[in-house]
Amino acid sequence: MAPPPQPPSSTITFIIFSSFLHLALGGTIGVNYGRIANNLPNPTQVIQLLNTTGITHIKLFDTDPTVIQTLSGTGISTIVALPNDHLSSAATNQTYTDTWVQSNILPYTQTTTITAIAVGNEVFSDPNNTTSFLIPAMKNIHASLTKHNLTIKVSSPVALNALDNSYPPSAGSFKPEVIEQVIKPMLRFLRDTNSYFMLNAYPYFAYEANPDTISLDYALFRDNTGDVDPNTGLVYKSLLEAQLDAVYAAMDALQFNDVKIVVTETGWPSSGDPDEIGAGKDNAGQYNGNLVRRAVSGGGTPLRPNDDLNVYLFALFNENQKPGPTSERNYGLFYPNEEKVYDVPLSFVAVNGSTVG
Ligand SMILES: *[C@@H]1O[C@H](CO)[C@@H](O)[C@H](O)[C@H]1NC(C)=O
Ligand SMILES: *[C@@H]1O[C@H](CO)[C@@H](O)[C@H](O)[C@H]1NC(C)=O
Ligand SMILES: *[C@@H]1O[C@H](CO)[C@@H](O)[C@H](O)[C@H]1NC(C)=O
Ligand SMILES: *[C@@H]1O[C@H](CO)[C@@H](O)[C@H](O)[C@H]1NC(C)=O
Ligand SMILES: *[C@@H]1O[C@H](CO)[C@@H](O)[C@H](O)[C@H]1NC(C)=O
Ligand SMILES: *[C@@H]1O[C@H](CO)[C@@H](O)[C@H](O)[C@H]1NC(C)=O
């Protein structure tokens, strides 16, 4: 299942060095701006807050015009989204996607840096089962963008539970029921349009479900001896990288070894119910901090060593109106009053004081 528990690593002290992300040559760090809450600051305040973090990439869950307008002129790279409840219309009605692009994308392309559209979100887990609409909706959105010569990428965030098997990473495979209907046509589309696979991956879920077999050090990117994939001999130092390579292996098995992955959501809750093992501020700070340090220092996963890790943290704020267990409302880097939930510098100085990267 997973590597044996490792002894705790020595405490790593991070020091804020605010301009660091601008200098980094490695992967990019973005953040999800979720808004399922009734107490968040207004978008202008939010973009100012984002500016203080040095984060230059943001992902939205819709195309709220106020938010997109607030991003104009900032140069912040923005992923917008077509929500799941639009998928059936988008799949069946080209006029619908033409109109959607004209109203929600076209007015902003001169001033807001919209780089991608997430069409739907984790549709395989949508209780309304929008799976069958996904591929036609992606194609229609792409066709509508092409009419205006827009080269914005089109993709759709897939949750890690689309995998049937993820261990060892080399044996990664998609669930049989989604392969022919969705995954293969999606990968073909992503390849043909030079887009990328959007993956939502949370090592926390795996750790929380298997705290006896998964080492916390491995889940949190702390020092550990690593886990060897017996099929490849590759050594994994973090659960997120193992999860990424399980998806890469699943794609390879379908002969799509040229499509890249961007992690569109990952994070760790700073609070949870008593049975949510591992939730807490210290672990959340270490997960996000170590992940950022890992990504900006460059280099990819064992299977894709040259592809830097590009990740979008989930999320900017704690969101008080999210349903589910306590953890769901506690993924934020910030409280709604803009105070940090924990002291995670989003830019770093390494253990011995030298800059990373
Ligand atoms: C923050 O705002 C300043 C002033 O507008 C700008 O020069 C800088 O590039 C911004 N930083 C980020 C990360 O957006
Ligand atoms: C297709 O979408 C357009 C634009 O939203 C709408 O006016 C029209 O009624 C839709 N057609 C059908 C058949 O739903
Ligand atoms: C499912 O669809 C119904 C009817 O369109 C809608 O009211 C509801 O919000 C949807 N549920 C989810 C989880 O999207
Ligand atoms: C969702 O719909 C697809 C067909 O589009 C079907 O294959 C699948 O079994 C459905 N899943 C659920 C959970 O109903
Ligand atoms: C798109 O590009 C083509 C070729 O450069 C050009 O003929 C056409 O007018 C452009 N269309 C729009 C809507 O800009
Ligand atoms: C200290 O920094 C140097 C230069 O970046 C690096 O090569 C070395 O591995 C670091 N030592 C530790 C213990 O991190």
Side-chain angles (χ1 to χ4, degrees), residues 22 47 50-56 74-76:
H22 304 288
I47 303 312
L50 189 67
N51 184 293
T52 68
T53 69
I55 291 181
T56 54
T74 62
I76 293 171

Side-chain angles (χ1 to χ4, degrees), residues 276-311:
E276 298 194 272
I277 311 290
K281 288 183 184 180
D282 191 37
N283 288 348
Q286 290 192 43
Y287 180 78
N288 285 313
N290 292 341
L291 167 59
V292 170
R293 196 171 60 139
R294 167 67 188 81
V296 300
S297 65
T301 61
L303 271 184
R304 293 282 189 282
N306 299 323
D307 294 340
D308 290 337
L309 300 188
N310 297 313
V311 300

Side-chain angles (χ1 to χ4, degrees), residues 27-342:
T28 55
I29 304 297
V31 67
N32 281 274
Y33 179 14
R35 298 186 303 136
I36 305 179
N38 61 7
N39 55 359
L40 299 184
N42 69 43
T44 303
Q45 295 167 314
V46 170
I47 303 312
Q48 282 166 359
L49 176 67
L50 189 67
N51 184 293
T52 68
T53 69
I55 291 181
T56 54
H57 291 61
I58 195 168
K59 178 168 162 285
L60 315 180
F61 289 91
D62 53 25
T63 52
D64 183 279
T66 311
V67 174
I68 297 181
Q69 266 157 12
T70 305
L71 286 162
S72 84
T74 62
I76 293 171
S77 170
T78 305
I79 299 177
V80 301
L82 178 88
N84 287 0
D85 57 0
H86 294 241
L87 286 176
S88 66
S89 302
T92 53
N93 183 348
Q94 182 78 63
T95 309
Y96 186 86
T97 60
D98 285 348
T99 307
W100 188 86
V101 164
Q102 277 159 24
S103 328
N104 296 283
I105 305 294
L106 203 52
Y108 310 110
T109 53
Q110 297 298 316
T111 51
T112 299
T113 311
I114 299 174
T115 59
I117 300 173
V119 174
N121 188 48
E122 301 188 355
V123 298
F124 309 147
S125 325
D126 183 345
N128 280 349
N129 198 3
T130 42
T131 300
S132 65
F133 301 120
L134 180 60
I135 302 303
M138 290 171 74
K139 289 181 173 171
N140 280 347
I141 291 284
H142 182 257
S144 299
L145 292 168
T146 303
K147 287 178 185 170
H148 303 283
N149 290 343
L150 297 172
T151 54
I152 295 167
K153 295 188 191 308
V154 172
S155 189
S156 182
V158 173
L160 192 69
N161 64 11
L163 292 185
D164 197 30
N165 184 28
S166 62
Y167 191 84
S170 59
S173 62
F174 290 105
K175 286 180 174 159
E177 64 268 28
V178 294
I179 289 179
E180 294 300 330
Q181 190 197 358
V182 198
I183 296 293
K184 275 192 185 174
M186 184 192 289
L187 291 170
R188 202 169 295 122
F189 170 85
L190 298 176
R191 171 190 278 165
D192 290 348
T193 59
N194 195 26
S195 185
Y196 53 82
F197 192 87
M198 293 180 166
L199 177 70
N200 294 351
Y202 288 85
Y204 166 72
F205 294 156
Y207 175 74
E208 192 249 347
N210 307 282
D212 298 337
T213 50
I214 296 180
S215 137
L216 188 59
D217 290 332
Y218 184 66
L220 296 179
F221 292 87
R222 295 196 299 222
D223 277 348
N224 64 92
T225 52
D227 186 40
V228 179
D229 186 318
N231 299 329
T232 58
L234 294 171
V235 180
Y236 286 86
K237 293 290 205 167
S238 73
L239 182 50
L240 182 70
E241 289 178 79
Q243 292 180 335
L244 269 163
D245 273 1
V247 179
Y248 275 126
M251 287 169 29
D252 287 352
L254 304 176
Q255 274 77 55
F256 287 91
N257 58 5
D258 52 342
V259 176
K260 294 185 181 174
I261 297 175
V262 170
V263 179
T264 38
E265 283 186 26
T266 191
W268 197 285
S270 62
S271 178
D273 294 320
D275 64 342
E276 298 194 272
I277 311 290
K281 288 183 184 180
D282 191 37
N283 288 348
Q286 290 192 43
Y287 180 78
N288 285 313
N290 292 341
L291 167 59
V292 170
R293 196 171 60 139
R294 167 67 188 81
V296 300
S297 65
T301 61
L303 271 184
R304 293 282 189 282
N306 299 323
D307 294 340
D308 290 337
L309 300 188
N310 297 313
V311 300
Y312 287 78
L313 306 179
F314 188 91
L316 194 50
F317 293 106
N318 282 347
E319 295 170 72
N320 68 349
Q321 293 182 318
K322 291 203 79 169
T326 298
S327 61
E328 285 292 316
R329 291 171 293 286
N330 289 280
Y331 275 89
L333 300 173
F334 293 94
Y335 292 110
N337 69 3
E338 304 197 7
E339 279 174 23
K340 286 180 185 175
V341 176
Y342 40 82

